[in-house]
Amino acid sequence: MPGHRDDVTALLRAWGKGDEQALHQLMPLVERELNRVARACLAGDRGNRSVSATALVNEAFLRLVQIEQIDWRDRAHFLSMGARLMRRVLVDLARARRSEKRGGDAVRVSLDEAIPAAGAHEADVVRLDEALADLARVDPRKGRVIELRFFGGLSAEETAAVLQVSTKTVIRDWTFAKAWLQREMTAEARAR
C-alpha cells in the first residue's frame, strides 16, 4: 500500500516539525500496526496477563510523544521506535514486579517464534533485555535486527530499509543473532 506509507511518512515528518494536528491524523493510520507490534511483543507472555496489547501500545505511545525533535524517516522508522519503547515498557514492568515480589512472577516472553530451536525455553524479559544489550555491545547491528524483527515484527525487507543494509545482510544477522541469543539464554538457564 504505497499511498498509505507515503501518507504516514508525510505525517511523521510534519509531526516531527511540531505539527500536532499531524499526530492526530497519524494515529488512526498506524494504530493497527502498533497493535500488531504489541501482540508480537506479548506473544509468549503466557504467565502474565497484567498488560494487554492495547495498554502496551498506549504506554509506548505516551513515551513516544514525550520524545522531542525526532527526524522521522518513514513508517518503518516509526515502528522501530515503537517496538523499542514497547520493549522498554515490558522491561520496566518486569523490573517493577521483580522488586515487588523479590524475583517471582516476572514477565515472561517466549523465544519459541524468534529462536526456533529444539527445546527453546521461555525466557525472562529482563534477562532477554540484558542478553540483547550484551549482543548490542558485541555487534550493534545484530542487536537492532533482533529488536526490529522480534519486538517490532518488521519483515527482513523493512528491517533492511531501517538499517540501510541489504535484505541478505539482515537475514544473515538474524540467523547469527538468534543462535547467539539461544546460546546466551540456555547458558543463563543452566547457571540458575
Side-chain angles (χ1 to χ4, degrees):
M1 214 181 338
H4 171 72
R5 290 174 190 236
D6 294 341
D7 290 346
V8 169
T9 300
L11 289 169
L12 282 168
R13 290 184 178 155
W15 175 38
K17 293 178 182 173
D19 182 352
E20 292 298 318
Q21 189 58 35
L23 175 61
H24 296 293
Q25 293 173 351
L26 175 67
M27 279 316 295
L29 296 177
V30 296
E31 187 174 14
R32 178 180 290 149
E33 290 178 279
L34 287 173
N35 273 297
R36 178 184 55 83
V37 170
R39 285 190 306 276
C41 287
L42 296 170
D45 189 17
R46 294 177 185 97
N48 174 37
R49 299 290 178 227
S50 65
V51 64
S52 67
T54 301
L56 184 56
V57 168
N58 290 340
E59 181 61 30
F61 185 74
L62 288 173
R63 292 181 186 196
L64 190 64
V65 297
Q66 293 174 358
I67 299 173
E68 301 206 8
Q69 300 299 326
I70 293 181
D71 183 21
W72 295 110
R73 291 187 298 269
D74 54 24
R75 176 190 140 280
H77 181 223
F78 177 78
L79 292 176
S80 167
M81 183 61 77
R84 178 173 281 185
L85 289 172
M86 286 181 209
R87 175 179 159 205
R88 295 286 1 128
V89 168
L90 289 174
V91 169
D92 290 349
L93 177 62
R95 286 189 173 134
R97 290 183 63 170
R98 276 190 163 180
S99 68
E100 288 173 11
K101 298 189 179 191
R102 298 171 28 117
D105 296 330
V107 175
R108 301 190 68 80
V109 175
S110 171
L111 291 176
D112 291 345
E113 292 178 22
I115 303 174
H121 303 285
E122 279 193 346
D124 174 59
V125 75
V126 173
R127 178 60 196 127
L128 177 59
D129 183 61
E130 292 167 355
L132 280 171
D134 291 344
L135 176 60
R137 279 190 287 280
V138 172
D139 191 325
R141 189 182 68 217
K142 287 177 178 64
R144 290 282 289 145
V145 167
I146 289 291
E147 184 175 75
L148 294 169
R149 299 222 46 220
F150 179 67
F151 288 100
L154 297 183
S155 68
E157 293 78 15
E158 291 170 320
T159 302
V162 169
L163 298 177
Q164 299 177 339
V165 297
S166 72
T167 302
K168 286 184 179 186
T169 297
V170 168
I171 292 168
R172 278 192 305 271
D173 286 354
W174 175 244
T175 301
F176 175 88
K178 287 188 304 183
W180 192 92
L181 283 173
Q182 178 65 37
R183 188 192 75 213
E184 290 296 304
M185 301 304 290
T186 302
E188 175 68 19
R190 282 190 213 137
R192 289 182 186 181

